[in-house]
């Protein structure tokens, strides 16, 4: 699990500050989704501070779709995310709108691993609930994922940990990291291909535009220039190649390769 520490680096309110608590005050871990197709801790912090007028970002951790975990606060910080249950709940947000999306495999596994580690570090925080399972939030579509399945998957991890010796556990975790790395590489490759496709599309449009310009009628000013060159004895006959020269000048000018006065 890749973790990036953003504590002290995100936007906060000019005057408002969150309260703090003891680790033993934390009894549950709250799972959220961002309700946005994409997003980042910086974007969420800006919204929570500037729109909601909160002291700072609402989540202690944010799990990006590539599986990267961002640590936004120390667990002792009491952030705003589950109303009257804030003091006793630690908030984790998975980036995505799970009404129309699903967590990526890397993201889901990172969330499970994060919760596993938090439950080990904070023995009082064994309860894991979705946002809508907290008092007063049954109306809210958050996090939409099946929390019973999520808790079952956590239990399987716990059973695995208890049944494995140190060597087996290390080998299994190494395999998990390799799978996550391969998933991330696939996403990077997919993004690169998409960007390359956009570049090729722009280049094709540019070529078509140049071809259209090259086939345009000879501009009237070019005809007059050819007549002047003919009268001055610079050319013998006003053939097609003479006009092509001025047509080319026009193409270069419109493309911005030459400026007025260069020729």
């Amino acid at each position: 699990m890749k973790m990036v520490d953003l504590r002290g680096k995100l936007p906060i309110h000019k005057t408002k500050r969150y309260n703090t608590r003891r680790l033993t005050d934390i009894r549950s871990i709250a799972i959220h989704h961002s309700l946005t197709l994409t997003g980042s801790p910086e974007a969420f912090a800006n919204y929570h501070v500037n729109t909601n007028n909160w002291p700072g970002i609402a989540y202690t951790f944010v799990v990006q779709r590539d599986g990267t975990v961002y640590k936004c606060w120390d667990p002792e910080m009491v952030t705003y995310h589950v109303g009257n249950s804030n003091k006793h709940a630690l908030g984790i947000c998975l980036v995505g709108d799970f009404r129309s999306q699903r967590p990526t495999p890397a993201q889901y596994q990172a969330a499970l691993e994060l919760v596993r580690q938090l439950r080990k570090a904070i023995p009082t925080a064994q309860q894991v609930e979705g946002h809508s399972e907290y008092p007063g939030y049954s109306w809210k579509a958050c996090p939409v994922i099946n929390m019973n399945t999520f808790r079952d998957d956590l239990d399987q991890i716990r059973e695995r940990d208890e049944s494995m010796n140190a060597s087996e556990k290390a080998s299994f975790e190494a395999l998990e990291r390799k799978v996550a790395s391969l998933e991330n590489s696939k996403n990077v490759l997919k993004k690169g291909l998409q960007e390359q496709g956009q570049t090729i599309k722009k280049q094709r449009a540019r070529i078509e535009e140049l071809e259209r310009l090259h086939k345009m009628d000879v501009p009237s000013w070019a005809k007059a220039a050819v007549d002047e060159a003919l009268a001055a004895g610079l050319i013998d006959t006003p053939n097609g190649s003479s006009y092509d020269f001025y047509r080319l000048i026009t193409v270069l000018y419109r493309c911005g390769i030459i400026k007025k006065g260069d020729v």
Side-chain angles (χ1 to χ4, degrees):
M1 181 180 68
K2 177 184 177 182
M3 184 174 292
V4 178
D5 191 351
L6 292 181
R7 291 174 298 174
K9 300 176 183 178
L10 296 173
I12 59 173
H13 197 278
K14 290 182 179 179
T15 58
K16 294 183 177 181
R17 296 292 180 268
Y18 284 130
N19 293 326
T20 58
R21 62 191 169 193
R22 298 169 300 176
L23 282 180
T24 52
D25 290 330
I26 304 172
R27 297 198 295 264
S28 68
I29 297 171
I31 306 299
H32 303 261
H33 68 146
S34 65
L35 271 172
T36 58
L37 297 178
T38 59
S40 66
E42 292 80 4
F44 303 149
N46 277 319
Y47 182 82
H48 292 162
V49 171
N50 299 321
T51 301
N52 292 356
N53 201 32
W54 292 348
I57 188 171
Y59 314 116
T60 302
F61 294 93
V62 172
V63 185
Q64 189 54 268
R65 294 187 64 75
D66 67 357
T68 302
V69 176
Y70 294 91
K71 187 173 185 178
C72 305
W73 295 110
D74 288 320
E76 290 89 345
M77 201 67 67
V78 182
T79 61
Y80 300 165
H81 62 110
V82 284
N84 292 332
S85 301
N86 286 331
K87 183 178 179 180
H88 304 292
L90 182 152
I92 297 174
C93 177
L94 279 64
V95 176
D97 184 346
F98 298 152
R99 296 171 302 179
S100 58
Q101 295 175 300
R102 302 304 301 165
T104 67
Q107 183 181 35
Y108 189 81
Q109 290 302 319
L112 289 173
E113 177 62 18
L114 175 61
V115 173
R116 183 186 75 85
Q117 292 186 16
L118 287 171
R119 291 170 91 179
K120 289 181 66 176
I122 311 173
T124 56
Q126 296 305 305
Q127 184 180 7
V128 180
E129 303 283 353
H131 188 176
S132 61
E133 295 178 305
Y134 283 84
Y137 287 97
S138 59
W139 57 271
K140 195 168 186 65
C142 182
V144 183
I145 62 172
N146 189 316
M147 287 304 302
N148 287 328
T149 299
F150 189 84
R151 285 186 284 264
D152 287 344
D153 291 339
L154 281 171
D155 288 341
Q156 289 181 12
I157 292 175
R158 176 182 288 175
E159 292 172 2
R160 180 203 74 194
D161 290 346
E162 292 174 350
S163 63
M164 286 183 176
N165 59 39
S167 177
E168 291 171 336
K169 184 178 177 182
S171 297
F172 188 87
E173 290 177 347
L175 179 60
E176 282 187 322
R177 288 193 295 271
K178 185 174 182 180
V179 170
S181 177
L182 289 172
E183 181 70 23
N184 185 56
S185 297
K186 183 185 77 173
N187 292 334
V188 170
L189 178 60
K190 182 179 178 181
K191 183 179 179 181
L193 290 173
Q194 290 173 341
E195 291 175 350
Q196 188 177 41
Q198 289 296 321
T199 300
I200 293 173
K201 185 177 180 181
K202 290 178 181 178
Q203 290 175 339
R204 183 183 296 116
R206 186 64 169 166
I207 291 171
E208 291 174 352
E209 175 66 9
L210 289 173
E211 289 176 344
R212 185 186 68 78
L213 287 171
H214 187 66
K215 293 175 182 178
M216 69 183 178
D217 293 336
V218 177
S220 58
W221 66 266
K223 293 180 180 179
V226 171
D227 291 339
E228 291 178 8
L230 181 64
L234 298 176
I235 58 175
D236 296 327
T237 58
N239 56 34
S241 61
S242 302
Y243 293 113
D244 283 341
F245 170 75
Y246 290 99
R247 180 185 289 112
L248 178 59
I249 293 297
T250 303
V251 170
L252 296 176
Y253 176 77
R254 292 191 180 182
C255 293
I257 298 174
I258 62 173
K259 305 183 192 63
K260 188 174 182 181
D262 288 345
V263 295

